[in-house]
Amino acid sequence: MSEQPAPARPKPVMKSIGRGFESVLFSSRWLMAPFYVGLIVSLAVLFLKFLRMLWEFILHAPGAKSSDTILDVLSLIDVTLVGNLILIVVFSGYENFVSRIDTSGQPNWPVWITQIDFAGLKQKMLASIVAISAIHVLEAFLNIDTAFDATKMTWLVSVHLVFVISALLLALSDRWGAEKASGE
């Protein structure tokens, strides 16, 4: 029998440099926190936009045609979905990439705040994008009497279908990946 040499042990200096480098890498996750603060600011700006749209809707609704009212409501829904998307990204991004959120002692906080993993975040984002895209296609369809542009409508439907297919493919790949991981 031949003896195998013992694996070379890293020198203490190299080991401490490696630990220091890993510590810097791990701490760099906090650089994402200002991005989430920026998204919160964008949510506040979006809220102001929503208030302005709501005020204009209230002022014009009494004399508006029903199709115009529906379009205005769809615009409000569109802005609301974008706001929801921002919240999902802020909470789940912070939870997944920066630090855990302590929900103990917070009975009014939604349960989903700490339960969306990265795969769930991608799916929720794409689902929101598909819904927003569908609203834009519906708005264009409802405006078909006043401003029909076949090229624009074709592009809207095509882009929407790309979003739908992308969401389906992402969901399938996440599902196959989860099945493969649980089978190993």
Side-chain angles (χ1 to χ4, degrees), residues 7-8 15 25 32 35 59 71-72 77 79 81 88 92 95 103 124 134 148 154:
K15 195 172 184 179
L25 284 177
M32 286 303 298
F35 287 87
L59 291 177
L71 287 171
D72 289 343
I77 292 170
V79 172
L81 287 172
I88 290 169
S92 60
E95 172 79 20
T103 58
K124 288 191 181 308
F148 179 69
T154 302

Side-chain angles (χ1 to χ4, degrees), residues 129-149:
I129 290 169
V130 166
I132 291 165
S133 171
I135 287 172
H136 285 276
V137 171
L138 184 57
E139 286 175 338
F141 180 74
L142 289 174
N143 267 335
I144 210 162
D145 292 340
T146 58
F148 179 69
D149 182 353

Side-chain angles (χ1 to χ4, degrees), residues 42-145:
S42 74
L43 185 61
V45 171
L46 192 63
F47 174 67
L48 295 174
K49 173 80 171 169
F50 179 84
L51 287 178
R52 194 181 100 227
M53 290 170 65
L54 181 62
W55 180 250
E56 290 173 3
F57 171 69
I58 291 169
L59 291 177
H60 296 112
K65 296 186 298 184
S66 61
S67 60
D68 290 337
T69 303
I70 291 169
L71 287 171
D72 289 343
V73 169
L74 286 174
S75 294
L76 292 172
I77 292 170
D78 193 23
V79 172
T80 302
L81 287 172
V82 172
N84 288 339
L85 182 60
I86 292 170
L87 277 180
I88 290 169
V89 170
V90 167
F91 282 118
S92 60
Y94 184 85
E95 172 79 20
N96 283 301
F97 301 114
V98 179
S99 182
R100 292 181 190 238
I101 297 173
D102 182 16
T103 58
S104 63
Q106 303 294 338
N108 294 330
W109 285 19
V111 176
W112 63 264
I113 284 179
T114 59
Q115 295 179 349
I116 298 177
D117 60 357
F118 187 63
L121 172 63
K122 290 185 299 185
Q123 289 178 359
K124 288 191 181 308
M125 283 182 59
L126 268 176
S128 295
I129 290 169
V130 166
I132 291 165
S133 171
I135 287 172
H136 285 276
V137 171
L138 184 57
E139 286 175 338
F141 180 74
L142 289 174
N143 267 335
I144 210 162
D145 292 340

